[in-house]
Amino acid sequence: MTGQNPAPPVLVYIPDQRGSYLAGEVLRSRGFDVRSANTLSELKLALELLLCKVIVTITSKIGEVRTLSNLPVVNIQAFVLPNVDAALFDRAAFLDRVQTVAEPRQFALHNDVNK
């Protein structure tokens, strides 16, 4: 990512260590600064101490995340596509989604001169 702004920090909250590790590796491959939390206590601490822009988690943990934070959430399971032989992971779509929700939002300023 030379010449570009560094990718925003991402918090991965997946209790399964293997899943958390794999998600982190995929995100790091795109240059994201990845932090991980595997328990609810770790998630609470991470949200207090880290300045992340987005949280990556799984379907069953979205409620816990929403209770503690209003940061954008990406459900990694939405990018696992069923297949006859095995599940396929849409890596490109996942990385694009994380990048999109992590980027600062541009808000249009409305200047109404008639007020």
Side-chain angles (χ1 to χ4, degrees):
M1 297 187 70
T2 306
Q4 297 179 8
N5 291 333
V10 175
L11 177 59
V12 175
Y13 176 50
I14 301 176
D16 174 67
Q17 287 186 348
R18 183 173 183 265
S20 181
Y21 172 79
L22 293 173
E25 287 301 303
V26 169
L27 291 161
R28 283 184 195 91
S29 75
R30 176 70 72 90
F32 285 98
D33 177 16
V34 179
R35 305 291 186 221
S36 296
N38 296 323
T39 67
L40 187 56
S41 297
E42 290 176 3
L43 174 63
K44 290 176 183 177
L45 185 61
L47 290 170
E48 289 175 15
L49 300 176
L50 301 175
L51 297 174
C52 56
K53 298 290 185 187
V54 62
I55 301 170
V56 172
T57 194
I58 57 175
T59 305
S60 63
K61 298 300 177 184
I62 291 173
E64 291 176 7
V65 171
R66 292 269 184 238
T67 300
L68 299 172
S69 174
N70 61 0
L71 289 171
V73 175
V74 174
N75 180 359
I76 194 169
Q77 289 178 309
F79 300 93
V80 178
L81 310 171
N83 189 341
V84 175
D85 298 324
L88 300 174
F89 179 62
D90 191 343
R91 177 187 180 113
F94 169 68
L95 289 169
D96 288 345
R97 180 67 180 154
V98 172
Q99 184 69 46
T100 298
V101 299
E103 290 175 347
R105 303 249 162 84
Q106 299 295 326
F107 294 102
L109 295 176
H110 298 287
N111 236 353
D112 190 350
V113 293
N114 295 325
K115 286 189 174 182

